[in-house]
Amino acid sequence: MSFGKGCNLHLIDGSAFIFRAFHALPPLTRKSDGLPVGAVQGFCDMLRRYVGTDHGDFAPTHLAVIFDKGSHTFRNDLYDLYKANRDEMPEDLRPQIPLTRRATEAFNIACKEVEGFEADDIIATLARQAREAGGEVTIVSSDKDLMQLVGDGVVMFDAMKNRRIDRDGVFEKFGVYPERVVDVQALAGDSVDNVPGAPGIGVKTAALLLNEFGSLDELLDRAGEIKQPKRRETLIAYRDQIELSKRLVLLDDRTPLDFTLDDLEIRDPDPDTLLGFLAEMEFRSLSRRIAETLGTEAPTIPETAPAAAAAGAPGSTEDAPPFDGTAYACIRDLATLERWIAEARDQGFVALDTETTGLNEMTAELVGVSLATAPGRAAYLPLAHRAAGDGDLFDDGALLPDQVAREDALAALKPLLEDRSVLKIGQNMKYDAKILARCGIDVAPFDDTMLMSYALHGGEHGHGMDTLSERYLAHRPIPIKEVIGSGKTQVTFDRVPIDAATTYAAEDADVTLRLWRLFRPQLHRAQVTRVYETMERPLVPVLADMERAGIKVDRDTLSRMSNAFSQKMAALEAEIHALAGETFNVGSPKQLGEILFDRMGLDGGKKGKTGAYATGADILEDLATEHELPARVLDWRQISKLKSTYTDALQEHINRETGRVHTCYSIAGANTGRLASTEPNLQNIPVRTEEGRRIREAFVAEPGRVLVSLDYSQIELRILAHVAGIETLKQAFRDGQDIHAMTASEMFGVPMAEMTPEIRRQAKAINFGVIYGISGFGLARNLRIPRGDAQGFIDRYFERFPGIRDYMDATVAFAKAHGRVETLFGRRIHTPEIDAKGPRAGFARRAAINAPIQGSAADIIRRAMVRMPPAIDGMPARMLLQVHDELLFEVAEDAVDALVATAREVMEGAADPVVRLDVPLVVEAGAGPNWAAAH
DNA sequence: GACATCACG
DNA sequence: GACGTACGTGATGTCC
């Protein structure tokens, strides 16, 4: 039937159905794997009831469910804050969205969406078309944004209240008829969608004004005639904003559609399809009810044992076969490779692992790739294995036969690895992604079992493959040492015989796939899906790009400094030997201790464990007030540290090809969510002393560029003020006050105007102490004051800020009750030692107090880093380094201001919209030719 | 490879 | 009443 007179088109607002279903029903998960499905069930039930309802004269002849698609629409181009105040979707709702589309299709109801348009615009367009064709329209929604469409054969229907809304219904709601609804909305604004409107004008006033003046244009043109001075001024001052608001609320009824009204004709569902879907979702009573309506038998849904029983229990891997190293395939020709690729493509996911000649992704060469498609079903693709060549000059270095040519293999793999519909699964995917990026392959989309484990089990154990396999699969993978050897006899992987390599490499892919099957459903159950999807996984490509970019380090600068340090050290060493009266190794704490405490007889104690004297900087500093020798040793140590760890070692890390230093960030290394930087560690480059800071002069920008540093000011104290809810501190941050001086003033009763540096320094130490889980002993040692005095400070601090003690007690209690603490963003940090006895209890307690603060700060900068590349896309700038609360960029000289503005906005807004901080985040920026100047 | 030391946030 | 303490990292050199 062609759409026309006598037809009635029903348009269901899909999002409204989903959100109603989600909020109306308690959380429900699918038994077999823990997938959240409550909203899907509610959605299906609402569709069932809607289709089953007798709509009388308004019975549908055509029906569609309309969804939003894409988060960016023309409204965002008009106004970048449009819907900016929306909370992120709840994490257990997100995976259900695609399922509601499948549900709609299972009901055989047309399911429509258009990229970049809101459902409301599509509804407006279809309503117009239907009206023009002479038919009638029922919009199934109670959203006021759709009320502008009512009238002239179009009504709305509130499915929850079973109530029809016509022109009079709209008038009831807005005080105007539908044709003036947008005018009211333009004036009143909308806090839900963040439409600004005119300040101080609500729906009532707007309707009043419009009824007086007739239309919005008229009203704005004649605003001067308004009697109330406040309203008059507002309308004149905010004219632009009001007109913008109108463009935001006005629906676009000319959305391009790739279907016609005729495509929406109502269809009966296919019982097998619909019941099959409901069975897959494991909706028992709903499928019984629907089967009854359809006059068929409901399928039996097996009672599967909850996966929770299997999850986490070592050895239990559902239906997976045991590990068998002899069962793995070796891919020797292109045809075989194509078969594996087809298999991966068919099922939509594949585990992946690369083998290379070394651990450094910047220099390592690809040797082979392994794939796994099911537990126990894995293959190794050797690409660059060479003869072992111990002594045999003729075979040495020759490529072994029967290997697929590297270029052919990569050309075959590239479409698979870049296919948006095939999920690639890896363990530490950043490594593989970097190797493959050098081969011109951009792996996406992917999952990473290491990061899944980090989100699930952070704090419980490490997240390396061997640990995870032993713990969760009860299987000890072949140690790499058994394949490549160790020490002098160690070889690179390309020298490993292909048979041995196959057993080892395919096993890694197999282990990865099995871990993924285990972890994937657990993410939802542990409610860490959002953590994983927003703060772990998307960081992988961001960090990979930063690491590949590297930072330019000037070898000559380092080399000159190194020489100067050598001379200084030699002089100091001579001086020290003279003072000691004998020569000894100044770098040996053991020998130094014997000189100081045995030969010279100074005061100082032994440390229990090894019986050696402690000669740390704090002890030497105490001794240095009386004696020359420890003072010179301190000088020597500082120089020695700078030379060995920085000026010398750093030069070794300059990449031959790029002339830059490429660090490697571990995403899952630190318990709190912080990153860690290795080989070299670029997060501990000196800055605190003048001498050390000069090392940073060697970190430079390319010609025509500068380094730009942006760092969060006092981020951890701000988070503390927020989580502990300390109003005085929060207000001080809002007012931009000196927080340490403010603390000192509050504690010691000193007016801010009379603050001395010494009092401020003490308050600063206390503030830091609080973040670390303060103890009288620790503060006493840090401030070098008697323990009783330190305890007095702490007591006074808690007296003044009782909320902080409450926060600490609550955090420790939470840790004891749950075995973990959480950051503001839901990252879980497990605290297995919290019930320990003895000194370990104290450590665990302090770590538990610190973790949510340090971890929330880490989450915030992670979020900023994930949002940074799209934000600065197109600018002549790249992000190079992260140092916990600082991001370092290399930027074209003329783009510094633009970069700073954009990056600052991203960083300061990084908590939004998941967490509304009660304190502002403040970012300080600097720029210069080198890191010392930028910081 | 454990330990002490010290660089950073 | 005694534990023995600031939180989180990584790299280096010594010594066993």
Side-chain angles (χ1 to χ4, degrees), chain A residues 654-672:
Chain A
I654 298 175
N655 185 292
R656 285 177 198 292
E657 282 177 40
T658 63
R660 299 167 77 95
V661 173
H662 306 266
T663 185
C664 177
Y665 289 101
S666 9
I667 313 181
N671 274 337
T672 53

Side-chain angles (χ1 to χ4, degrees), chain A residues 143-182:
Chain A
D143 189 341
K144 56 186 170 15
D145 294 342
L146 288 163
M147 292 190 175
Q148 57 183 278
L149 302 174
V150 170
D152 199 15
V154 180
V155 296
M156 283 176 72
F157 180 72
D158 182 340
M160 297 309 281
K161 296 183 184 143
N162 219 352
R163 206 169 62 94
R164 222 163 285 282
I165 304 165
D166 52 14
R167 284 177 58 82
D168 292 330
V170 173
F171 189 87
E172 225 172 88
K173 170 94 189 166
F174 278 105
V176 294
Y177 286 98
E179 51 275 13
R180 290 281 157 258
V181 162
V182 287

